[in-house]
Amino acid sequence: MITGSLVALVTPMHENGELDWERLYNLIEHHIDQGTSGLVVAGTTGESATLTVEEHRELIHKAVDQVAGRIPVIAGAGTHSTQETVHLAAEAKMLGVDACLLVTPYYNKPTQQGLYRHFKTVADAVAIPQILYNVPGRTAVDLLPETVARLATLENIVGIKEATGLLERGPQIRTLCGENFAIYSGDDATGMELMLQGANGVISVTNNVVPKLMHELCTKALAGDRAGAEEINNRLHDLHQKLFIQSNPIPVKWALQEMGLINSGIRLPLTPLSASCQSEIRQTLIQLGLV
């Protein structure tokens, strides 16, 4: 089971939108040096929806090569199409990732039975550990705990990224699915509390900006050290909020650009952070000593 502080990694881009491989390699080394427990590449924060199939494949391939087995690599492979998801998961397995992250099909709003059959089809087709991803705020569909419990009986469905922000979800899923099913928070603002309630880690946007602090936060929360975890989480409270002042990953890419870690590239339909929001994030970065 992968535990701790996992980063929902941005995809660095040049100003013209082309992928920036040198910055990607530098980010990966930075995260390994700072104690990040695992990388999630080609996910929501990685702008997977705007990557071509070839770019998606190359991004995963280069990340796996650069990591070289030092920490786990999880590849985003979920789409609105079951067959396309099977294809991307199979490609990710071939490229050597440790697991796939499968978001609920977006836009077409399947029923709970449709969700079950979708994920079962992928699990049956591709023999690789698979982590479900529930983020109703983006997909317009909520993967309910009872459906998660049905899916958890499948051998290679090993966990869930739960991004509803509902603290009751963690204990519900744990009760239904047992101790061997991994639960990851997908919501930085409530991630500490979810871990203190028994979740196994956080797949974090904030981790892009403060990987060492997120590693320390997760270490303390997973050890049951509420006071220590709260001390760090209180320092990060404003950052957790400000990184969602506009749609993710707009704010986090701007923050990383301010810190000199990536260039300004971002792909339409996303646009650079509005000037009216920049001072708020810059002030938070200054308070944390990041710029």
Side-chain angles (χ1 to χ4, degrees):
M1 183 185 291
I2 303 168
T3 62
S5 177
L6 290 77
V7 61
L9 193 68
V10 301
T11 299
M13 298 175 182
H14 295 288
E15 290 184 7
N16 63 3
E18 293 182 3
L19 303 193
D20 186 342
W21 302 121
E22 182 178 357
R23 295 285 190 167
L24 175 71
Y25 301 148
N26 290 342
L27 282 184
I28 290 171
E29 292 304 318
H30 177 60
H31 278 286
I32 292 172
D33 290 344
Q34 295 291 306
T36 296
S37 301
L39 304 180
V40 176
V41 297
T44 304
T45 308
E47 295 174 81
S48 59
T50 65
L51 299 176
T52 67
V53 173
E54 183 53 38
E55 286 173 333
H56 190 277
R57 187 183 190 282
E58 191 172 9
L59 177 62
I60 294 169
H61 175 63
K62 289 184 181 297
V64 168
D65 277 1
Q66 184 68 24
V67 169
R70 289 175 288 173
I71 59 175
V73 177
I74 301 169
T79 75
H80 59 289
S81 162
T82 302
Q83 291 307 312
E84 185 177 348
T85 301
V86 168
H87 172 74
L88 291 177
E91 284 276 308
K93 177 188 176 184
M94 183 179 66
L95 293 168
V97 302
D98 296 277
C100 288
L101 182 68
L102 304 179
V103 71
T104 53
Y106 41 86
Y107 184 74
N108 40 23
K109 299 177 71 173
T111 63
Q112 294 300 304
Q113 178 64 7
L115 290 170
Y116 173 78
R117 291 182 58 185
H118 167 81
F119 288 118
K120 185 178 186 302
T121 298
V122 182
D124 289 345
V126 187
I128 189 172
Q130 296 171 18
I131 300 168
L132 311 172
Y133 178 16
N134 187 37
V135 57
R138 281 188 177 264
T139 63
V141 63
D142 188 3
L143 182 64
L144 297 179
E146 294 78 13
T147 307
V148 177
R150 293 178 66 194
L151 290 164
T153 64
L154 304 175
E155 183 177 2
N156 51 333
I157 294 185
V158 299
I160 185 169
K161 177 184 177 183
E162 174 53 54
T164 59
L166 300 173
L167 287 174
E168 63 268 23
R169 282 293 176 91
Q172 288 172 349
I173 294 169
R174 176 65 70 226
T175 298
L176 291 169
C177 299
E179 293 299 322
N180 293 325
F181 189 76
I183 301 172
Y184 306 101
S185 172
D187 177 64
D188 280 307
T190 57
M192 179 203 72
E193 193 61 41
L194 205 68
M195 285 186 288
L196 288 168
Q197 292 180 358
N200 303 99
V202 180
I203 297 176
S204 168
V205 175
T206 300
N207 192 345
N208 282 280
V209 180
V210 284
K212 185 176 181 180
L213 282 175
M214 283 302 299
H215 167 74
E216 293 172 357
L217 168 62
C218 290
T219 298
K220 291 181 182 297
L222 292 173
D225 179 2
R226 176 176 287 277
E230 285 181 342
E231 188 276 327
I232 298 171
N233 202 53
N234 289 340
R235 290 168 61 190
L236 297 179
H237 176 271
D238 285 351
L239 186 62
H240 290 329
Q241 305 299 321
K242 294 299 190 296
L243 291 181
F244 292 89
I245 197 169
Q246 289 187 325
S247 295
N248 179 47
I250 291 172
V252 70
K253 292 196 89 171
W254 187 87
L256 291 173
Q257 178 191 344
E258 280 289 288
M259 294 167 65
L261 294 175
I262 63 172
N263 291 312
S264 62
I266 194 167
R267 284 190 177 175
L268 289 171
L270 299 181
T271 53
L273 185 71
S274 300
S276 60
C277 298
Q278 293 177 9
S279 62
E280 293 187 53
I281 297 181
R282 184 179 292 111
Q283 186 59 39
T284 300
L285 296 178
I286 291 171
Q287 289 170 354
L288 289 167
L290 299 172
V291 294

